Amino acid sequence: MLRRQFLTASAAAAIPLAAPAFAQPAGARVLKYVPQADLTVLDPVFTTAYITRHHSLMIYDQLFGLDGNLRPQPQMVEAWEEDGLTWRFRLR
């Protein structure tokens, strides 16, 4: 059966097809995250798995993070200075 024949037959028989939900009720405030794999390694330096990277970005704080324009913004750093070879960070 071709797709057009199926759609025509479905419309003629008034079979309701699943429609996406574009709007959610006001009480729906829960964001559910379903990872694509089990988290087996917790160290983001040791592995290149995306699940470990996502976990570490949600759990561990960083010195700097990126804003919406991909510019570095301080997160844990209150102030910093550099003299060419040495960087000094003062944490908040």
Side-chain angles (χ1 to χ4, degrees):
M1 177 179 274
L2 296 176
R3 183 174 61 124
R4 290 184 188 195
Q5 292 172 344
F6 172 73
L7 292 175
T8 305
S10 298
I15 299 173
L17 298 176
F22 292 111
Q24 297 294 323
R29 299 275 186 228
V30 176
L31 175 66
K32 294 183 180 181
Y33 172 71
V34 180
Q36 87 278 6
D38 290 332
L39 181 64
T40 56
V41 179
L42 296 175
D43 187 4
V45 176
F46 182 71
T47 184
T48 58
Y50 281 117
I51 186 68
T52 303
R53 182 188 70 174
H54 295 327
H55 175 265
S56 64
L57 288 175
M58 289 188 287
I59 301 299
Y60 302 119
D61 206 356
Q62 301 175 4
L63 292 178
F64 290 89
L66 299 176
D67 64 4
N69 295 323
L70 299 178
R71 290 182 302 222
Q73 299 293 324
Q75 285 187 351
M76 286 179 41
V77 174
E78 182 178 330
W80 65 93
E81 60 185 39
E82 62 156 319
D83 62 5
L85 295 176
T86 305
W87 287 72
R88 287 182 170 65
F89 300 103
R90 185 171 63 229
L91 302 180
R92 57 179 168 91

